Amino acid sequence: MKKLAITALILAASGGVLFAVSAAEKSGAPAQEPAAQAQQAAPSEGKPAESAAPQEVVCFESRKGASEVTQREISPGWPNVKCSPTTGAALWYGDPFDGTVPMGKMPGLENIPEGHALVKPRSQKLAILPMCATACHNGVGPQFTPPTLPKDKKPTPIPTMEGLLPELKEFQHGRGRIWCLDCHHTTQRNKLVDNFGDPIDFDQSQLLCGKCHGDKLRDWRDGIHGKRIGEWASDGKKRWFLCTECHNPHNVQQGERNRGFAQLQPEPPPQTPKGMQGMKHELVHPVAH
Amino acid sequence: MTVTEDMNSQAGAERQDTQVPRQPAPADPSRVALKTSRRDFLKSGGMLSLSSLMGTAALMTESDDAQAAIEWAEHFQKNYRLMTPEEKAEARARLERRYSEEYGKKVTVDTTEAQPGVLMGYALNIRKCIGCRRCVHACVAENNQSRGRNRPGEKIEWIQVLRMERGKFEAEKMNHGYPEGLGIQVGGNAYTPVGQVLEGQYHYTPDLVPEKDATYMPIACMQCEKPPCVKVCPVRTTYREPDGVVVIDYNWCIGCRMCMGACPYWARRLNVTNPVLPKEEMNPVTHYLGNRPRMRGVVEKCHWCLQRTRHGRYPACVEACPVGARKFGNLLDPNSEVSLILARKNVFRLKAELNTFPKFFYFYD
């Protein structure tokens, strides 16, 4: 009887949490990285509350931590995405337009039919974005109530940008020639900034990146640079990957030879040919000259 | 019983264990129809008298085993190119029925023809490729390749990613005079050509890619304009479609591997064993000339995901590439991605000196 009661309690609690999350999503409030939560929850099996809920498979698309897709079945035997069992990367798209919205106006795309250029909104992915302009950078400054000094003399850690975004320690965009406010708006911190000081939405990051990388912007617009999925016809319906889905703007170069792209774990190699024990000979190949 | 054999036996009556010793051809033609190996079948068929062959229709109607009747008709269908539209529809229905039964889900076999005004082209940014092999595995997931692990030749991948050592430019070597083992150089030996030390590694396993001193080169079928494989095929099972893709009619392939010898790009694979394709991993959207499940003893290769591209979708490898190095489009459309690349970038083709005229272009910024 006691056991039953406990199980019921746990189930009720988990149900409550689920309800709260769904309510938060519906009200438009930022769900604090549900994907990450699911990933953390996935390995801990055996708890009755979690075994009751179906296990979610979340795979990342281009690089870890950028954009993710949750696996689900669109129709029987047809998932929206297939993930790699080795690395967890998205390998195959059953539905390329999952979770996308129209890109909006972009100069130079007048010939593309309405609704044929889709993007995945980035601002939902950025966990601290909604707080930026309300909690810290609201133009008010630190407030103490009552307006006195702290009581004890012990130093108190202050939350810094570096603490929130560890990659800022290795900030090397432009090799030190640019800094925060070259990209982020001075007064509206949940916006980026263009050359005229006007705000740019986080979902339109190409407008910001194109300020310096104009050649890349042109190639991206024409489909030469960057990734697109969907239909191959030049006027076809496509999902366009935004700059920050592949590149980390705070740490673009993560090594010497990475082509502006973070290093990744590769997928497993092919099977060894018949009659070969290993492929060591590839590594000790004699010098050809 | 190993896992593989178990899978084979599950995969349907057509998959027969190779370990069973060969029986002499039975006199009863209905039992002949149950035999699975194409070679065995043709051999025993030759030994049969003509009269039993002429009773095909009667056999098909009389046999209570639908599988056997399907097999019989499948063995005696024409080359796909010579089929009338009715025969194509018949073959399609037959395959759909058999695959649906075999894999336990609704399988569709598409027979869409090439669209007029389309010449498919492919481009790959060789400088962007980071060697992560996601294209390889996306291709396997899409195209129903054999994915066993126990016996050699059971795992088939159409794309190979080749790791090569990078060329270097060393300023201090600018005045290092002449040949030093590399032949006649102009401007000293400041450049080390790519691929001088390594001829290429396919089985590299680093923790993270891209590596500092490596460059990567994915290879697959180049869909040549003058394909050597088509030239040498003795039964004309492989041919070039009007939209430029070189395809194979698997039912007509005799597995002689002439095409594999002729292909300069190592793009073709032979199903040495019975293909291992788990039911839950099978992709049910297939094309007759594309990714429908293959049988043992036939050659297969990349066909630019005909089941997708004939309906406008990008090939699977293009959609999986995390860096967007792979581009696909219509060469006859001046606004397509590939046409713009050809107009704007530095483009080369692999082994261009062989005059196979691939429609797969490597480019760099």
Side-chain angles (χ1 to χ4, degrees), chain A residues 136-211:
Chain A
C136 300
H137 302 280
N138 51 6
V140 178
Q143 296 249 315
F144 299 104
T145 47
T148 49
L149 290 170
K151 277 169 190 166
D152 55 345
K153 289 180 181 173
K154 280 180 189 167
T156 317
I158 302 167
T160 58
M161 287 315 292
E162 262 190 17
L164 292 171
L165 297 165
E167 72 243 33
L168 284 185
K169 286 186 182 120
E170 279 132 40
F171 182 74
Q172 50 174 328
H173 200 139
R175 293 190 176 79
R177 282 174 192 84
I178 63 169
W179 76 305
C180 316
L181 297 185
D182 284 325
C183 299
H184 293 274
H185 199 277
T186 327
T187 52
Q188 304 175 40
R189 284 300 160 85
N190 47 4
K191 298 277 179 192
L192 301 167
V193 68
D194 72 359
N195 278 338
F196 300 98
D198 295 329
I200 300 172
D201 202 83
F202 265 87
D203 298 340
Q204 294 263 323
S205 51
Q206 75 277 4
L207 298 176
L208 170 78
C209 304
K211 279 161 64 178

Side-chain angles (χ1 to χ4, degrees), chain A:
Chain A
M1 199 61 211
K2 214 173 180 181
K3 262 188 187 172
L4 233 169
I6 289 169
T7 326
L9 250 175
I10 292 170
L11 274 173
S14 68
V17 167
L18 274 178
F19 176 76
V21 167
S22 63
E25 274 173 359
K26 273 174 199 163
S27 65
Q32 298 227 335
E33 290 203 292
Q37 277 179 3
Q39 268 184 337
Q40 280 169 4
S44 57
E45 279 173 30
K47 288 180 193 170
E50 273 159 22
S51 59
Q55 216 171 24
E56 268 192 343
V57 180
V58 181
C59 37
F60 66 96
E61 293 192 281
S62 52
R63 63 180 172 92
K64 244 178 199 160
S67 53
E68 283 156 344
V69 212
T70 310
Q71 197 176 37
R72 61 188 171 83
E73 287 228 326
I74 305 169
S75 59
W78 189 261
N80 64 335
V81 71
K82 280 184 193 171
C83 314
S84 160
T86 324
T87 60
L91 283 186
W92 180 92
Y93 290 91
D95 176 18
F97 309 121
D98 191 30
T100 52
V101 295
M103 181 156 69
K105 282 198 178 119
M106 162 92 191
L109 297 184
E110 292 83 13
N111 298 331
I112 292 181
E114 193 65 34
H116 274 211
L118 302 162
V119 291
K120 216 169 218 187
R122 295 283 296 137
S123 39
Q124 291 169 7
K125 175 69 196 151
L126 307 168
I128 61 165
L129 181 68
M131 296 182 287
C132 294
T134 53
C136 300
H137 302 280
N138 51 6
V140 178
Q143 296 249 315
F144 299 104
T145 47
T148 49
L149 290 170
K151 277 169 190 166
D152 55 345
K153 289 180 181 173
K154 280 180 189 167
T156 317
I158 302 167
T160 58
M161 287 315 292
E162 262 190 17
L164 292 171
L165 297 165
E167 72 243 33
L168 284 185
K169 286 186 182 120
E170 279 132 40
F171 182 74
Q172 50 174 328
H173 200 139
R175 293 190 176 79
R177 282 174 192 84
I178 63 169
W179 76 305
C180 316
L181 297 185
D182 284 325
C183 299
H184 293 274
H185 199 277
T186 327
T187 52
Q188 304 175 40
R189 284 300 160 85
N190 47 4
K191 298 277 179 192
L192 301 167
V193 68
D194 72 359
N195 278 338
F196 300 98
D198 295 329
I200 300 172
D201 202 83
F202 265 87
D203 298 340
Q204 294 263 323
S205 51
Q206 75 277 4
L207 298 176
L208 170 78
C209 304
K211 279 161 64 178
C212 296
H213 307 281
D215 57 335
K216 292 288 176 290
L217 178 69
R218 185 185 71 155
D219 281 355
W220 179 81
R221 196 189 59 207
D222 295 340
I224 297 174
H225 182 98
K227 177 176 171 176
R228 292 178 186 186
I229 60 178
E231 295 172 6
W232 52 262
S234 53
D235 57 350
K237 188 179 174 185
K238 293 180 173 77
R239 174 185 160 198
W240 298 45
F241 277 69
L242 292 169
C243 313
T244 49
E245 283 185 71
C246 302
H247 305 284
N248 183 347
H250 295 141
N251 189 3
V252 186
Q253 289 198 325
Q254 207 193 41
E256 212 170 301
R257 143 102 187 124
N258 57 15
R259 302 282 155 226
F261 198 78
Q263 284 188 304
L264 287 169
Q265 187 195 353
E267 300 290 327
Q271 201 178 22
T272 45
K274 192 177 180 178
M276 280 200 188
Q277 293 305 315
M279 299 304 282
K280 288 275 188 240
H281 68 279
E282 277 191 348
L283 302 171
V284 291
H285 197 277
V287 175
H289 57 275

